[in-house]
Amino acid sequence: MTYGMIATWRMAYDGVAEMTKELQKGKDAGDALVEAIKQVEDYPFYKSVGYGGLPNEHCILEMDAAYMDGNTFDIGAVAGIQDVKNPIAVAQSLSHERFNSFLVGSGATKYAKNAGFECQNMLTERAKRLWELRMEEIQKHNLSPYDGHDTIGAVSLDIHKKMVAGTSSSGLFMKKSGRVGDSPLSGSGFYVDSEIGGATATGLGEDLMKGCLSYEIVRLMGTGLHPQQAADQAVYQFAEKLTKRKGKAGAFSLVCMNKSGEWGVATNVEFSFVVATEHEAAEIYLAYPAENQTTRIEIASKEWLAAYETRIKKPLD
Ligand code: ASP
């Protein structure tokens, strides 16, 4: 009767806390995951997902999302979808399609509209202002525009032994129109097999997709490694390899859970995540890269949480 959910970033807390209670009562892993991610999509102050997300170079909000069923391997995904309230729900619906299960751009938006998903203007005044301020800064200081991203990625396990993985993101701030990150790509942004476990990623998509790290973690868990060992091995070895070959590696943070509800995390930056299981109440943790390709994990302090709250709601200007 084990159950659990793990998800990227502090923003996942409310959804994970609420939905693990539902998982305990028997809710389906997929429906719980979609509800948890919807909460993040709907909250305007989480600026890298859904409503209030980070716009592209033309100040248009293009969103990526994916849903994978670990029992059947069904996958649904959208990329560059616009003005749809909950991209994760669209991805879940597409996962039931035999054909045309990954849609992009206007095709994805049209599908969502025709299928009756709620549509609304997803660009908030705050996101627009953030874009304007960033534009000024880029021009004034001749900066690279590509600073700012984060994805909600989650893996859930229900008491019926089903596992599901899903992601939702506005991707890279100031991205070129049409840019797709790792989040909707199977194996890179997410992967799940109910007989083994699941993993999901956040970080620089262009680099994450070079390593197919979500698949690699699931594969390693399948060889019998504990999720923490699998995450450490996959993430740090690949970050090292990429640094050797290309001179640098972008930010990588991955979380995973196996079919017994054991979990792991690895990252090459400071990274917050949330997990709750049958044995552990929902908690916000911070993870850091540590010596010898391991990860240091601690509970987020009250001070850290307060500073986070202030930062996300900071008045602009
Ligand atoms: N991986 C996402 C992307 O590159 C962004 C993030 O998770 O930080 O689109």
Side-chain angles (χ1 to χ4, degrees):
M1 285 282 275
T2 186
Y3 61 89
M5 193 181 291
I6 189 163
T8 57
W9 304 113
R10 183 260 171 264
M11 58 187 166
Y13 178 77
D14 290 346
V16 170
E18 198 179 307
M19 283 305 130
T20 37
K21 286 186 194 134
E22 297 300 316
L23 286 170
Q24 184 184 20
K25 290 185 219 155
K27 194 175 178 84
D28 172 77
D31 293 339
L33 175 134
V34 168
E35 287 307 315
I37 292 183
K38 268 183 173 177
Q39 291 200 13
V40 180
E41 290 178 334
D42 291 345
Y43 190 63
F45 289 104
Y46 295 144
K47 66 171 185 190
S48 56
V49 177
Y51 185 58
L54 292 166
N56 71 8
E57 59 175 351
H58 303 302
C59 204
I60 292 169
L61 181 57
E62 294 181 321
M63 300 166 290
D64 299 340
Y67 175 98
M68 179 168 187
D69 180 322
N71 281 358
T72 57
F73 300 119
D74 285 338
I75 292 175
V78 291
I81 195 168
Q82 289 180 29
D83 288 333
V84 172
K85 188 167 184 274
N86 294 114
I88 187 63
V90 182
Q92 182 189 34
S93 154
L94 283 168
S95 75
H96 302 127
E97 300 289 332
R98 176 74 184 93
F99 302 103
N100 309 300
S101 55
F102 187 171
L103 299 177
V104 305
S106 57
T109 308
K110 201 149 96 194
Y111 166 86
K113 279 186 185 153
N114 289 344
F117 286 95
E118 201 174 329
C119 295
Q120 65 176 47
N121 174 20
M122 297 294 277
L123 187 71
T124 58
E125 281 307 313
R126 185 179 173 85
K128 209 168 128 208
R129 188 66 194 128
L130 213 62
W131 182 89
E132 287 165 357
L133 291 171
R134 182 72 187 148
M135 268 315 222
E136 283 168 23
E137 225 174 60
I138 292 164
Q139 277 152 9
K140 204 151 84 192
H141 304 293
N142 201 18
L143 301 175
S144 157
Y146 307 120
D147 183 23
H149 46 84
D150 283 348
T151 297
I152 167 85
V155 176
S156 73
L157 163 67
D158 70 24
I159 61 172
H160 319 289
K161 300 186 193 316
K162 175 174 168 183
M163 295 194 77
V164 170
T167 59
S168 182
S169 184
S170 55
L172 194 59
F173 192 18
M174 295 285 171
K175 66 189 176 184
K176 295 272 178 223
S177 135
R179 180 262 187 193
V180 178
D182 60 300
S183 307
L185 299 184
S186 159
S188 290
F190 63 93
Y191 198 78
V192 64
D193 177 339
S194 301
E195 292 184 1
I196 300 173
T200 183
T202 178
L204 184 65
E206 283 75 0
D207 279 356
L208 280 164
M209 61 176 86
K210 295 179 172 95
C212 299
L213 293 175
S214 292
Y215 179 80
E216 180 61 5
I217 290 175
V218 174
R219 189 190 69 77
L220 288 169
M221 290 194 291
T223 68
L225 291 192
H226 184 279
Q228 187 54 53
Q229 288 177 308
D232 285 344
Q233 190 169 317
V235 173
Y236 299 125
Q237 283 185 8
F238 187 69
E240 198 177 277
K241 199 185 218 183
L242 192 59
T243 309
K244 227 176 250 166
R245 304 263 187 106
K246 280 194 60 79
K248 61 180 170 205
F252 291 160
S253 302
L254 283 99
V255 296
C256 57
M257 181 172 276
N258 69 13
K259 64 175 181 177
S260 310
E262 297 168 319
W263 53 270
V265 54
T267 180
N268 60 0
V269 291
E270 178 188 291
F271 168 59
S272 62
F273 68 100
V274 179
V275 61
T277 68
E278 174 194 11
H279 308 292
E280 305 155 283
E283 190 76 73
I284 302 167
Y285 294 93
L286 296 178
Y288 305 87
E291 282 106 69
N292 302 323
Q293 309 205 322
T294 58
T295 308
R296 180 162 65 83
I297 300 168
E298 58 191 45
I299 292 178
S301 66
K302 281 202 180 77
E303 293 73 34
W304 188 93
L305 293 171
Y308 174 89
E309 202 64 19
T310 309
R311 192 170 70 241
I312 66 166
K313 293 184 178 160
K314 193 174 103 198
L316 301 176
D317 286 323

